[in-house]
Amino acid sequence: MNVLEVANLNKFFNEPVRNQVLNDVGFQVAPGEFVAITGKSGSGKSTLLYLLSTMDTDFEGSIVIDGQQMKGKSNRWLAAFRNRHIGFVFQFHYLLPDFTSLENVMLPARKLGMYANDQIEQRAMDLLSLLDVKDQALKRTALLSGGQQQRVAIARALINEPLIVMGDEPTGNLDSANSATVFALFKELAKERQQTVLVVTHDEDFARRADRRIHMADGRIVKG
Ligand SMILES: Nc1ncnc2c1ncn2[C@@H]1O[C@H](COP(=O)(O)OP(=O)(O)OP(=O)(O)O)[C@@H](O)[C@H]1O
Ligand SMILES: [Mg+2]
């Protein structure tokens, strides 16, 4: 079974004028696949990922994740589904600035309510360590560098072991060593834990090393 099935997806923005930004997008992704989404600036990559993340519910067509249709679900249902199944790393990370790195990473797991606090803390520390920001665990995230914040955001996205990890330029703020760490981590999640990884990237090297590339131009998937 596919973990993600997108069919006949259209997206319009109405401001300042009605504008079609996604045009009949369709594709399927299997569990454990590592997919790079590429394309020029303005081609619709972030718009697509935002729809797939279920945060934007205004679209035509069908998005099925883990066998469940996302269309027509309530915001409350989607929020719970997202927290359980989707880990998202944004272009801008949206950490809570007045909470520590550790607290930020633990938050989605606390919301999920499946594990005891000390288990969650242990796992959060392991992730911070994997991403080489363990030494920043007890600092408020407002005080971290951009690259450190991005790595904390990646740890937060992974805490609930999501079915799908989605990233919009997750390595955009990172130097080459840290980009390589994140790439290797994503690769491991895909290969060894069968988590699906869907990453928008401008990094050719990153895209080439993914299992598959979805290339976009003018809101459509094209061969690239
Ligand atoms: N909220 C919005 N309202 C109106 N138009 C929008 C909105 N968000 C995006 N667009 C338009 O949709 C198109 C696709 O934008 P999108 O952000 O998906 O591009 P992208 O491929 O992610 O580009 P980049 O590589 O620069 O991040 C662009 O023409 C953009 O101007
Ligand atoms: Mg974008």
Side-chain angles (χ1 to χ4, degrees):
M1 193 182 85
N2 289 312
V3 68
L4 174 65
E5 297 188 348
V6 179
N8 310 112
L9 190 63
N10 292 315
K11 170 71 185 176
F12 297 85
F13 285 116
N14 294 309
E15 300 289 330
V17 290
R18 189 165 164 86
N19 180 22
Q20 185 161 12
V21 174
L22 295 178
N23 197 325
D24 199 28
V25 168
F27 63 93
Q28 305 183 336
V29 181
E33 260 193 300
F34 185 161
V35 181
I37 302 175
T38 57
K40 274 198 223 158
S41 180
S43 57
K45 306 180 299 294
S46 294
T47 304
L48 172 63
L49 206 64
Y50 208 55
L51 287 175
L52 300 182
S53 78
T54 79
M55 246 109 53
D56 182 357
T57 56
D58 177 19
F59 61 91
E60 289 176 358
S62 164
I63 298 174
V64 174
I65 302 175
D66 196 28
Q68 305 242 39
Q69 176 59 254
M70 296 298 118
K71 186 101 199 155
K73 294 291 197 293
S74 71
N75 286 335
R76 193 193 157 97
W77 189 94
L78 289 171
F81 184 87
R82 249 192 326 267
N83 189 52
R84 178 73 192 91
H85 294 298
I86 302 174
F88 202 96
V89 188
F90 297 90
Q91 208 159 5
F92 306 100
H93 38 73
Y94 301 110
L95 294 169
L96 300 173
D98 293 329
F99 288 77
T100 67
S101 304
L102 181 62
E103 288 165 337
N104 269 278
V105 175
M106 290 178 69
L107 201 65
R110 283 186 168 144
K111 241 190 252 175
L112 188 64
M114 271 173 54
Y115 300 100
N117 208 57
D118 50 345
Q119 280 176 295
I120 296 172
E121 180 167 334
Q122 184 57 55
R123 186 166 155 68
M125 286 306 283
D126 289 348
L127 282 166
L128 289 170
S129 172
L130 261 175
L131 288 152
D132 201 24
V133 276
K134 195 177 181 177
D135 55 342
Q136 307 296 320
L138 301 180
K139 224 191 243 181
R140 290 194 299 122
T141 58
L143 304 177
L144 270 52
S145 76
Q148 290 169 337
Q149 291 184 21
Q150 199 155 18
R151 283 176 282 154
V152 172
I154 292 169
R156 180 185 58 181
L158 300 179
I159 188 80
N160 286 341
E161 302 191 291
L163 199 61
I164 311 184
V165 181
M166 299 183 188
D168 197 344
E169 310 225 29
T171 59
N173 286 326
L174 302 182
D175 58 31
S176 55
N178 280 308
S179 292
T181 304
V182 169
F183 187 91
L185 181 61
F186 283 176
K187 196 115 196 168
E188 184 194 314
L189 296 176
K191 284 293 144 305
E192 274 150 47
R193 307 190 193 185
Q194 289 288 295
Q195 285 171 277
T196 299
V197 180
L198 216 57
V199 174
V200 170
T201 184
H202 284 285
D203 183 337
E204 255 314 300
D205 203 43
F206 198 120
R208 234 191 334 264
R209 287 150 63 212
D211 294 334
R212 173 149 72 104
R213 178 199 296 243
I214 290 176
H215 189 69
M216 302 202 49
D218 295 330
R220 297 172 189 268
I221 295 182
V222 293
K223 294 246 177 285

